[in-house]
Amino acid sequence: MSRFNGQVAIVTGGALGIGGATARKLASEGAKVFIADIDDSSAALNVQSIKKTGGIAVASHIDVSQSGDIARMVDEAVDMYGRLDILVQNAFGVIAGESRIHGSALTVEEDNWDYGIDVLLKALYLGPKNAIPHMTATGGGSIINLASVHSFLQEPGMLVYESAKAGVVGMTRQMATEFGPDGIRVNAIAPGHIVGEGLAKIWKDNPTGHEFFADQYPLRRTGIPDDIANGIAFLCSEEASFITGHTLAIDGGLSVQLQEKFGLRQANYVRNNPDTNLPT
Ligand code: NAD
């Protein structure tokens, strides 16, 4: 299947995890992929693996906390490939980034609040600001924002992440309304617990913890990056041409069950095991 033949896609945080799988998925279906990431070596490895399977991809060192980098990202992608059709706004380190911004209104330092909001929210306004003019020049495009089940489900210590991820849902709906007439569709994905390379390392040393997490899900497993990449590819495709402003939960049913019982058990696990430094 080549749903994205002739199209150009930028994936922020496209080296590893959800972004890594998304870059491979879009490339496998014909898109020319531009990976924007701060992890140069992992990005280069992902480009290699895409090329090995006949896909087209490049990587560039882009830090989405820097507005100049986001402008350069779009310029470089359009210079290289001549157009822009898809923008996947995914970058964030669930491991390192999340521990930095952990805390409550009483404990989060102001500079960490600023960092979290810059990477998780402001970057998602700056990406479209730079990308949309190129998309409208060729008749439209698709923007996918990474939200989270934490856009809707709250727990102590997650002020910055949850504020930003709730904002992502609002921003997605706003931009869908604003730019629909220009042929731009804007959607979000709200993943549950997705085990990419980083989380896999943590769970390897704590298999019972992983089992406990999986047990909180109606489908009795946590997710893998391909679960999200498949949803992103669908939302970017022609099959989703009448879908915009939507946030699609891909969470094994986590968010539809009774949170009083299941959400609390998971939050308590994280609270009682602070050394695991786990996102949920
Ligand atoms: P990950 O840590 O596996 O990968 C994140 C990628 O983003 C890495 O390649 C990293 O180098 C890159 N990155 C980090 N900061 C960056 C920056 N400032 N500029 C450019 N690149 C940067 O993360 P993941 O688990 O795949 O998460 C990806 C997205 O999905 C995030 O927005 C996260 O909030 C969201 N999400 C993840 C989960 C989960 O359980 N994994 C759940 C809900 C939402």
Side-chain angles (χ1 to χ4, degrees), residues 13 15-19 36-39 62-65 90-94 119 146-148 161 165 191-194 199:
L16 289 172
I18 291 168
D37 207 294
I38 47 174
D39 181 344
I62 302 289
D63 180 349
V64 300
S65 71
N90 158 85
F92 180 62
V94 287
V119 173
L146 265 293
S148 169
Y161 190 76
K165 291 299 189 184
H193 189 74
I194 306 299
L199 283 174

Side-chain angles (χ1 to χ4, degrees), residues 6-171:
Q7 295 193 26
V8 174
I10 293 175
V11 182
T12 73
L16 289 172
I18 291 168
T22 301
R24 292 190 293 277
K25 174 74 179 171
L26 296 177
S28 75
E29 297 202 29
K32 294 172 187 156
V33 172
F34 185 96
I35 292 174
D37 207 294
I38 47 174
D39 181 344
D40 297 335
S41 54
S42 300
L45 282 176
N46 208 21
V47 167
Q48 246 179 42
S49 83
I50 288 170
K51 285 185 172 168
K52 225 181 255 171
T53 52
I56 297 173
V58 290
S60 182
H61 185 92
I62 302 289
D63 180 349
V64 300
S65 71
Q66 305 298 315
S67 69
D69 277 22
I70 294 178
R72 180 167 58 80
M73 165 183 89
V74 172
D75 286 350
E76 283 181 10
V78 173
D79 283 352
M80 184 154 308
Y81 294 134
R83 57 185 290 145
L84 181 59
D85 304 277
I86 293 168
L87 173 63
V88 181
Q89 307 204 96
N90 158 85
F92 180 62
V94 287
I95 307 301
E98 194 157 308
S99 63
R100 180 171 170 189
I101 63 176
H102 192 81
S104 73
L106 294 179
T107 61
V108 168
E109 298 296 341
E110 201 174 331
D111 61 335
N112 287 336
W113 166 273
D114 288 342
Y115 165 77
I117 297 298
D118 280 355
V119 173
L120 291 166
L121 195 59
K122 187 177 173 192
L124 278 59
Y125 128 73
L126 290 170
K129 184 178 176 65
N130 287 279
I132 285 173
H134 295 288
M135 291 176 167
T136 48
T138 52
S142 177
I143 296 172
I144 305 293
N145 296 327
L146 265 293
S148 169
V149 288
H150 284 271
S151 301
F152 316 108
L153 305 174
Q154 273 56 59
E155 71 174 279
M158 300 286 281
L159 172 78
V160 183
Y161 190 76
E162 288 171 348
S163 301
K165 291 299 189 184
V168 169
V169 172
M171 191 187 278

Side-chain angles (χ1 to χ4, degrees), residues 3 18 21-23 25-26 224-234 250:
R3 289 184 287 184
I18 291 168
T22 301
K25 174 74 179 171
L26 296 177
I224 57 172
D226 283 342
D227 291 322
I228 307 303
N230 289 337
I232 291 173
F234 164 67
I250 303 184

